[in-house]
Amino acid sequence: MTSTRLARTAAELAALPRQGRRAVVMTMGALHEGHATLIREARSLAGEAGQVVVTVFVNPLQFGAGEDLDRYPRTLDADLLIAEKAGADAVFAPAADEVYPGGEPQVRIAAGPMGERLEGASRPGHFDGVLTVVAKLLHLTRPDIALYGQKDAQQLALITRMVRDLNFPVEIVGVPTVRERDGLALSSRNRYLSAPERTTALALSRALFAGRDALPKGPDAVREAARQALEEAAGLQPPLASDYLALVDPSDFTEAPPDFRGEAVLAVAAEVGATRLIDNVRLHFGAAR
């Protein structure tokens, strides 16, 4: 495999030779095995004759006041090694003034009602910032395929909806969440956790798995089983501070009714110490598919 190329500007990226299908994996850096899984899947979908591009950009538009923009990990040298090992042909790592040459853009993508629920309610404007940078990066990278992790389920749903509603000529592919052996979902923010905080953080996946185990009893039982696990974790040291627990229809992220049938997402968000974590599992109610 040839060395992974680093492009810092849109012009450098556009100058890269391009053959076959281009698959793009968008990241904010601090790459881990979850990102590597996305890159390997991109390599598989693009084929050996195609091209895999990984974007590394910490997007200021999606961070609210008091969030962790300044301390978000920036590890480009390590990211390049992980991207190359996983099969990337190029890494596009632009500076903020390359993506937003006139400063913060006056025209942005609005996430709409789905973007105001769950994460959007806790982080107002977050998904407007996400969709704006995704739209820009799709224009800059011009992929045939773009891959995103299912761990960020609401983000994936909104990107999929934006691409459909605004006629972007790209296929969106969701890739299942990658977990540690103990169940913790891989996240760049996990590195913020102390050892005791990481133990407490396991309550997120424990709650989701408890809900999944209650699947045959219906949506209300799923919610209750997960809620009990979160309540128990509130008494840990350090405690888990829950933000939300929701069982939603993935088409619009509205709460699933007691008689819901079909695919659903059981989603949770919580803080452990100063670190905010999210996780989810996909469930299917009704007859086996």
Side-chain angles (χ1 to χ4, degrees):
M1 183 181 70
T2 58
S3 297
T4 297
R5 300 280 297 274
L6 174 63
R8 290 284 198 171
T9 67
E12 290 173 355
L13 179 65
L16 294 178
R18 178 172 180 172
Q19 299 182 46
R21 305 177 81 195
R22 174 179 281 181
V24 165
V25 174
M26 295 184 187
T27 82
M28 292 206 301
L31 302 190
H32 49 65
E33 180 58 25
H35 297 111
T37 299
L38 285 167
I39 297 166
R40 288 192 292 268
E41 181 64 17
R43 178 83 273 160
S44 176
L45 293 174
E48 288 305 312
Q51 185 182 63
V52 174
V53 176
V54 176
T55 69
V56 173
F57 179 63
V58 181
N59 175 36
L61 295 192
Q62 68 193 70
F63 288 81
E67 293 188 348
D68 58 351
L69 173 61
D70 291 338
R71 74 169 185 144
Y72 196 87
R74 291 160 172 84
T75 57
L76 183 59
D77 289 343
D79 294 344
L80 286 167
L81 294 174
I82 292 172
E84 181 173 49
K85 185 176 180 180
D89 297 295
V91 169
F92 178 45
D97 58 3
E98 180 71 20
V99 178
Y100 304 119
E104 289 198 6
Q106 296 184 35
V107 177
R108 307 189 187 196
I109 301 291
M114 181 163 52
E116 297 171 358
R117 299 173 183 133
L118 300 188
E119 280 298 289
S122 296
R123 306 174 68 188
H126 169 70
F127 286 121
D128 293 355
V130 169
L131 294 185
T132 298
V133 78
V134 168
K136 294 205 71 163
L137 290 173
L138 287 174
H139 288 314
L140 289 168
T141 60
R142 297 179 293 114
D144 301 289
I145 315 160
L147 298 89
Y148 302 88
Q150 290 179 355
K151 186 180 81 69
D152 296 298
Q154 193 172 3
Q155 172 180 283
L156 174 59
L158 282 161
I159 292 170
T160 302
R161 186 64 186 246
M162 178 185 75
V163 164
R164 187 181 75 187
D165 285 356
L166 301 183
N167 299 101
F168 280 73
V170 61
E171 177 187 355
I172 302 298
V173 175
V175 178
T177 300
V178 179
R179 299 184 180 278
E180 300 278 8
R181 295 180 68 177
D182 58 11
L184 185 68
L186 291 182
S187 169
S188 299
R189 288 185 168 92
N190 289 352
R191 67 185 65 197
Y192 298 156
L193 299 170
S194 67
E197 287 172 342
R198 192 188 181 287
T199 299
T200 293
L202 292 174
L204 272 75
S205 56
R206 191 159 59 243
L208 295 175
F209 298 159
R212 185 179 61 191
D213 290 344
L215 177 64
K217 299 178 182 179
D220 284 348
V222 166
R223 277 184 279 254
E224 182 58 27
R227 185 176 295 110
Q228 287 182 9
L230 292 178
E231 289 176 354
E232 291 172 4
L236 298 175
Q237 288 300 326
L240 185 81
S242 296
D243 181 356
Y244 62 76
L245 170 71
L247 180 67
V248 298
D249 182 335
S251 68
D252 59 8
F253 271 69
T254 57
E255 196 72 28
D259 59 350
F260 184 83
R261 293 293 179 267
E263 185 180 32
V265 172
L266 180 62
V268 64
E271 290 187 358
V272 184
T275 302
R276 177 182 171 83
L277 299 172
I278 63 172
D279 200 354
N280 72 88
V281 292
R282 291 174 178 259
L283 306 173
H284 188 87
F285 294 93
R289 290 170 293 179

